[in-house]
Amino acid sequence: MTAWNTRPETNDDISAIREVNLAAFDTADEANLVDALRADSSWIKGLSLVTTDQNGTIVGHALLTRCHIGDTPALCLAPCAVLPDHQRSGAGSAAIRAALTAAKDMGEYYVTVMGHPTYYPKFGFTRASAHGIGLSIDVPDEALMVMTLDHNHPLPTGTIRYAAPFGI
């Protein structure tokens, strides 16, 4: 098992992060989304995390940006990407864990994700509908998940409102 290094992105990382997202997905949509979010008010400095290999090469990326559950501030985990040659190696999990830790350290409480229902629960995500949380569009119930970073702050109820670049 590789011991991955994680850190917040720097300005010098922007092109490498774009390349990771272009390589990880079939279209440029996710790479374009990261660029649009970086220019949006939902961007929170320190919550775009990269995973690097032992040589310092960026191989993974996880991004948290501002969203809301009803009127309550929360974070959206998306996108998460890993270079194809490093997928299933723990590089993505390392970036996600680092992002969640950074968010908790910043005093954030809630995180949402729309993703694979067997992958994200290992980080503490559970089905959003079980907490009275939904979206304004139809998505598979098991794919929309949420978590609290502090169990002294139970999840709020309501509809998730994503940042404008998501188009939801």
Side-chain angles (χ1 to χ4, degrees):
M1 184 106 183
T2 303
W4 296 106
N5 301 306
T6 58
R7 61 173 174 75
E9 79 165 46
T10 67
N11 288 338
D12 293 339
D13 298 331
I14 292 172
S15 63
I17 291 168
R18 182 168 177 80
E19 291 304 314
V20 167
N21 279 279
L22 288 171
F25 296 101
D26 293 336
T27 70
D29 291 349
E30 285 80 2
N32 293 339
L33 176 61
V34 172
D35 292 342
L37 287 166
R38 196 177 277 115
D40 190 77
S41 63
S42 64
W43 187 265
I44 302 170
K45 185 176 167 84
L47 294 185
S48 176
L49 281 289
V50 297
T51 303
T52 62
D53 65 14
Q54 292 74 13
N55 300 318
T57 302
I58 294 174
V59 300
H61 177 242
L63 177 61
L64 290 166
T65 53
R66 176 68 62 218
C67 70
H68 290 81
I69 301 171
D71 292 328
T72 304
L75 298 171
C76 170
L77 175 60
C80 299
V82 175
L83 290 175
D85 290 349
H86 296 284
Q87 291 176 358
R88 295 180 179 22
S89 69
S93 292
I96 292 168
R97 284 190 180 94
L100 294 172
T101 297
K104 184 175 183 175
D105 290 348
M106 289 182 179
E108 296 289 339
Y109 298 128
Y110 314 112
V111 183
T112 69
V113 68
M114 194 177 342
H116 203 283
T118 61
Y119 180 71
Y120 290 98
K122 71 180 177 181
F123 303 103
F125 287 94
T126 58
R127 193 178 295 215
S129 63
H131 304 281
I133 299 171
L135 275 179
S136 60
I137 61 169
D138 287 332
V139 298
D141 186 55
E142 65 277 3
L144 184 63
M145 293 169 271
V146 295
M147 69 179 296
T148 182
L149 297 172
D150 180 344
H151 293 290
N152 292 320
H153 290 86
L155 288 158
T157 60
T159 301
I160 299 170
R161 292 182 292 116
Y162 291 111
F166 282 97
I168 297 176

